Amino acid sequence: MEYFSKQISEMIDEFSRLPGIGAKSAQRLAFHILHMPKEDVKRLSQTIYDARENVRFCKECFTLTDSETCPICANPKRNHRQIMVVEDSRDLAAYEKTQKYDGVYHVLHGAISPMQGIGPADIRLKELMTRLQADVDEVIIATNSSLEGETTAMYIAKLLKPTGIRTTRIASGVPVGGDLEYIDEVTLLRALEGRTEL
Ligand code: ZN
């Protein structure tokens, strides 16, 4: 990339470290930004920095939020006795978009994957068990239908068995290996409505 001067090359290099950004996209982004008004660039970089500085885990559900408790957990109108377990905050957003789920969530931040050396202690399972000491009517396991997601679902089901809490799994209308965030709302709703007892 020696045909670009140092600072331009560095910018392209930074962008190409981001997920899904190849060399071509990195160049396009860098040149787009170099043509933007300085004020807009300042706002963009400030927004990114502020979010990184302030965003943390919700103390109840562990989703990413910029306050101690996320807006869903802080909402008294939500059913706090129904907990949907998802792999990450993007899955939570996918279910929120359906506007049909009024329970709360628990974000694991990953899934069990022996292949990648990710075990039960590496995701937020202990925190889920702690939450279940309060009154809970149902735990809906909405991990992805990938191998890792299914492994995690089975592990949680086994963990919950002795608690006697109703444990359900979303229907497999969700395509195998499908990332929840890419599935349309109708499919998600159908998966939720068709959930089965574990
Ligand atoms: Zn929360």
Side-chain angles (χ1 to χ4, degrees), residues 58 60-63 70 73:
C58 167
E60 283 180 37
C61 73
F62 295 91
T63 195
C70 78
C73 290

Side-chain angles (χ1 to χ4, degrees), residues 57-65 68-74 92 104-107 131:
F57 298 120
C58 167
K59 70 176 168 67
E60 283 180 37
C61 73
F62 295 91
T63 195
L64 293 170
T65 178
E68 207 181 331
T69 312
C70 78
I72 297 167
C73 290
L92 178 155
V104 293
Y105 297 88
H106 187 84
V107 183
R131 281 182 83 183

Side-chain angles (χ1 to χ4, degrees), residues 30-97:
F31 283 100
H32 178 80
I33 287 172
L34 290 170
H35 286 102
M36 273 164 62
K38 280 184 197 163
E39 270 313 299
D40 291 1
V41 176
K42 203 174 195 174
R43 198 183 54 232
L44 171 68
S45 50
Q46 195 64 45
T47 303
I48 295 172
Y49 186 80
D50 288 348
R52 181 61 190 87
E53 184 70 12
N54 299 318
V55 169
R56 64 194 104 161
F57 298 120
C58 167
K59 70 176 168 67
E60 283 180 37
C61 73
F62 295 91
T63 195
L64 293 170
T65 178
D66 56 13
S67 51
E68 207 181 331
T69 312
C70 78
I72 297 167
C73 290
N75 185 349
K77 288 190 188 128
R78 305 287 295 227
N79 178 3
H80 289 254
R81 298 169 69 111
Q82 189 177 39
I83 300 176
M84 186 193 289
V85 180
V86 293
E87 289 184 23
D88 61 40
S89 294
R90 291 169 304 169
D91 296 335
L92 178 155
Y95 273 103
E96 279 305 285
K97 256 194 269 169

Side-chain angles (χ1 to χ4, degrees), residues 5 34 89 112 117 121 125-126 141 144 174 180 182 184 196 198:
S5 63
L34 290 170
S89 294
I112 298 171
L125 271 178
K126 204 169 64 203
I141 307 175
N144 294 347
V174 179
L180 279 187
Y182 295 119
D184 68 84
T196 48
L198 284 178

